[in-house]
Amino acid sequence: MVIPTIAVTATVSPLIVALACLFAHRKLGGGRHLLFWAIAHACLPIPFALIGFTDWPINPNRLLSVTAVSAILLSAVMLASGIRVQTGRSDRLEVSLAVAVALTVGTLLIQHVTGLTYAIPIAVGAICLLYAGALLMMHRRSLLYFLTGGLQMARGGMAIYYALGLTALGDQLNGALAGAIFANLLTGLGLMMIEFDNARQREHITREDEQETRKFLQTLMDAMPATITYKDSELRYRLANRALRELLRPYKTDPIGKTWSEIAGPETAAVVEQQDRAILATGESMHMEQGWTGPDGRPIIALAQKVPLKDEDGRVVGIITCGIDITRLKETEAQLIEQREAAETASRTKTAFLANMSHELRTPLNAIIGFAEMMAAGYTGALTPRQKEYAVNISRSGEHLLRLVNDILDLSRLENGRVELNITTCDFDTLAQSALAMVEPQAREAGIRLAFTPCKLKVRADERALVQIMVNLMGNAVKFNRPEGSVSLQAESTDGVLCIRVEDTGIGMSTAESHAVIQPFYRIDAYRARANSGAGLGLSICRSLIELHGGRLEIRSRPGLGTCVEVLLPA
């Protein structure tokens, strides 16, 4: 007869282990193998209750036998499967349950055929326990694993031993149940200790991973040239990279754990912390400039991007700030503004000067040129040959100076954008003839032949500007030509582009001179240029007028082989 206390203890002890497994799974975040173990230990009270509170072992009953066999096999299979999962296998709960059902059905059929009532199910369960114990002992070189695995195998051995003589035990059932209680409690304790040991190792690994992640994150942040910080919901710094520490070095304090007001003072931090509180309240990012004066009196300006950090529920738990120190940029910007204002003032002064010079120089120059021409023509009386030569020289020099003044004024208007074009459809041949007529006296005096072939083309351009371009280009070609040389003017239209080409047989230029000659006031080597070569503004004016038309100027030249200048305009 089984002592009631032993029967109750044998029935309740596996349930305690099952509840401990469920608690570890839910509250401690244990693995799913704990579910297997909980089911296994929840099944053990059934055969123990049948042995302790009924006469099932002495007077077998089919229903009780099926119940006991099912509970024994389900417990053994789930325990072995849980250990398989715990040791790295990928068993699934539903598959393990199916295996237990199949074993139960097979065992019951064998029982029915052979007539062996208890030995077969207990032997099958014992084999599962032996297998589970062997898995634990081989999984890890640990005393805990070895002892728990040994207990599992001992349980299997005890099960086989009692299965062989269960019907003959009689009063020895008290000892058998006491042994089962002891073995179950020790095994359950061992499994829980294994779980706690695994949890401790997982926690240790997690802590190491967190430390490595934090170290990597800090290294990455320190490598950034921008300042990067994280503030919690109380606006205290929790993370800060090297760039911020360098920026805050004058404050001689570590920002971690402090608020901005504790570092820089309430007055300096008022605006920044007000913006931070707005981000915590609204959860919206913010882009701003932050400026303050450091403890050394140096102004600091930072361009900051603030982003709220939210938890899984969408609540703002902190603020991540990425900032760039733009103090030097702002200082440079202020200097550039100051320089621009100075340049604009100088430009206005230059414009006023040129306007005054235009009036002050043109009026006397026109008088000088007019009186010189009158003297050379004999309107003031007969002149000696020398006096007439002087009058002609005065007239020519005055005209040259007047052209120089006009060129300077034209260039100034172009640079200031005060030239407006009147674009119309023009007859190119007519404009070319006008330009040739203006250059003809200069070419005749220099002994240069002008050549032009009419092309009957229409062009959309400003008539005055296009004539000025052709006059300047042909005037340069005459000026830097050889004696008895030639200058040709041609035009053709190809693919919607009008190409005006001026070629001469003059002294030519090097590649470097070809690029430099279009700059204002650039003059070719004085040794190869003629004395009355101008101020070097003609090509610069031409290029500006051409670009106003949406075209471009191209120069091809070689020393001693002449020059070809092409004007490319939209047709």
Side-chain angles (χ1 to χ4, degrees):
M1 185 67 181
V2 178
I3 300 174
T5 304
I6 295 177
V8 171
T9 305
T11 304
V12 173
S13 60
L15 292 176
I16 295 174
V17 176
L19 291 174
C21 291
L22 289 175
F23 176 81
H25 176 71
R26 286 183 172 274
K27 300 298 183 181
L28 303 181
R32 62 189 183 93
H33 57 278
L34 291 170
L35 293 176
F36 288 80
W37 293 349
I39 295 173
H41 286 84
C43 293
L44 283 178
I46 297 174
F48 287 156
L50 292 176
I51 294 173
F53 298 108
T54 69
D55 59 351
W56 166 64
I58 308 300
N59 300 306
N61 178 284
R62 181 173 296 277
L63 178 60
L64 296 180
S65 296
V66 171
T67 303
V69 168
S70 301
I72 291 170
L73 293 180
L74 180 60
S75 174
V77 170
M78 297 306 292
L79 185 65
S81 296
I83 290 176
R84 283 175 55 84
V85 173
Q86 196 271 337
T87 55
R89 277 73 172 180
S90 57
D91 291 17
R92 296 170 59 185
L93 182 61
E94 57 270 24
V95 175
S96 298
L97 290 172
V99 170
V101 171
L103 278 176
T104 302
V105 173
T107 301
L108 291 173
L109 288 175
I110 294 174
Q111 274 187 315
H112 180 72
V113 173
T114 61
L116 298 175
T117 308
Y118 311 113
I120 292 177
I122 297 178
V124 172
I127 292 172
C128 292
L129 294 176
L130 291 172
Y131 171 69
L135 281 179
L136 282 175
M137 295 177 71
M138 293 186 298
H139 178 64
R140 184 177 298 170
R141 293 181 179 179
S142 167
L143 180 61
L144 182 59
Y145 274 77
F146 186 81
L147 291 177
T148 306
L151 283 172
Q152 290 285 10
M153 297 186 74
R155 283 179 63 185
M158 289 173 59
I160 292 176
Y161 172 76
Y162 288 120
L164 293 177
L166 186 60
T167 57
L169 287 175
D171 292 337
Q172 298 180 20
L173 283 175
N174 289 319
L177 285 177
I181 293 170
F182 183 72
N184 284 331
L185 288 176
L186 286 180
T187 305
L189 179 62
L191 291 176
M192 294 308 299
M193 290 179 66
I194 287 177
E195 181 59 28
F196 290 139
D197 181 65
N198 290 338
R200 182 184 59 80
Q201 292 187 10
R202 287 195 300 270
E203 182 180 356
H204 179 69
I205 293 173
T206 301
R207 191 182 305 113
E208 288 185 343
D209 289 342
E210 288 178 354
Q211 291 176 353
E212 290 294 327
T213 302
R214 189 180 184 90
K215 183 178 179 181
F216 171 77
L217 180 61
Q218 188 66 48
T219 303
L220 182 64
M221 290 170 55
D222 288 342
M224 297 292 180
T227 62
I228 302 175
T229 64
Y230 168 67
K231 295 179 183 177
D232 60 19
S233 57
E234 296 180 355
L235 302 183
R236 295 188 179 277
Y237 288 102
R238 296 305 175 190
L239 282 176
N241 68 340
R242 182 180 302 168
L244 180 77
R245 297 176 189 273
E246 290 293 329
L247 186 65
L248 301 183
R249 178 179 291 181
Y251 292 96
K252 299 178 181 179
T253 183
D254 186 0
I256 302 302
K258 296 183 177 67
T259 64
W260 181 227
S261 59
E262 293 173 349
I263 297 173
E267 293 183 0
T268 301
V271 175
V272 174
E273 293 192 345
Q274 182 182 1
Q275 294 167 340
D276 289 343
R277 291 190 184 94
I279 295 174
L280 292 174
T282 62
E284 296 180 356
S285 301
M286 193 175 294
H287 185 78
M288 69 199 74
E289 285 187 7
Q290 298 177 348
W292 69 93
T293 301
D296 54 357
R298 185 176 68 91
I300 301 173
I301 304 174
L303 183 65
Q305 175 72 34
K306 293 179 176 287
V307 180
L309 181 65
K310 301 180 180 179
D311 61 13
E312 295 179 353
D313 298 327
R315 292 175 301 197
V316 180
V317 296
I319 301 172
I320 297 174
T321 304
C322 180
I324 300 175
D325 184 1
I326 58 172
T327 306
R328 292 185 179 179
L329 182 63
K330 285 292 183 180
E331 292 173 351
T332 303
E333 182 182 358
Q335 293 174 359
L336 290 176
I337 292 175
E338 184 179 349
Q339 293 173 2
R340 184 187 65 187
E341 292 176 350
E344 291 175 350
T345 301
S347 177
R348 289 192 295 269
T349 302
K350 182 187 72 173
T351 301
F353 167 75
L354 291 175
N356 292 333
M357 186 184 71
S358 170
H359 174 73
E360 298 297 333
L361 289 180
R362 282 180 170 178
T363 301
L365 278 175
N366 286 328
I368 292 172
I369 293 170
F371 283 118
E373 289 177 349
M374 291 175 62
M375 291 173 61
Y379 289 106
T380 59
L383 300 178
T384 65
R386 182 176 295 274
Q387 291 173 334
K388 187 174 182 179
E389 181 182 355
Y390 289 162
V392 171
N393 288 338
I394 291 171
S395 176
R396 288 179 177 174
S397 297
E399 290 176 352
H400 176 68
L401 184 57
L402 184 59
R403 285 195 300 270
L404 177 60
V405 171
N406 290 335
D407 286 346
I408 292 175
L409 292 174
D410 288 343
L411 182 62
S412 176
R413 285 195 296 269
L414 288 167
E415 288 180 345
N416 293 328
R418 293 189 290 113
V419 174
E420 295 182 2
L421 300 180
N422 182 23
I423 304 296
T424 59
T425 301
C426 315
D427 180 68
F428 179 78
D429 291 348
T430 301
L431 300 182
Q433 292 293 346
S434 299
L436 286 167
M438 296 180 188
V439 180
E440 175 63 30
Q442 179 186 356
R444 183 171 57 251
E445 183 178 354
I448 304 299
R449 180 173 59 86
L450 299 178
F452 169 66
T453 303
C455 56
K456 299 180 180 180
L457 292 176
K458 299 292 183 180
V459 59
R460 287 189 56 78
D462 183 288
E463 293 186 5
R464 186 195 64 79
L466 187 56
V467 170
Q468 183 178 357
I469 291 170
M470 289 189 289
V471 168
N472 284 354
L473 294 180
M474 288 190 292
N476 279 344
V478 170
K479 191 183 302 182
F480 297 102
N481 215 317
R482 302 178 186 277
E484 299 181 357
S486 64
V487 174
S488 65
L489 174 63
Q490 305 171 13
E492 60 183 5
S493 180
T494 306
D495 297 330
V497 177
L498 176 69
C499 177
I500 303 171
R501 186 178 300 109
V502 176
E503 293 186 80
D504 64 57
T505 57
I507 60 178
M509 296 178 288
S510 65
T511 303
E513 289 174 330
S514 298
H515 289 94
V517 75
I518 58 176
Q519 301 301 322
F521 302 105
Y522 180 85
R523 297 178 62 180
I524 298 178
D525 186 357
Y527 177 77
R528 297 189 291 126
R530 298 187 178 181
N532 194 24
S533 58
L537 296 174
L539 283 177
S540 180
I541 293 173
C542 287
R543 183 189 64 173
S544 298
L545 290 173
I546 292 168
E547 290 176 351
L548 281 176
H549 282 83
R552 67 179 188 274
L553 179 69
E554 295 182 357
I555 300 176
R556 299 193 305 273
S557 182
R558 293 178 63 185
L561 298 179
T563 301
C564 175
V565 180
E566 291 185 346
V567 177
L568 303 175
L569 299 174

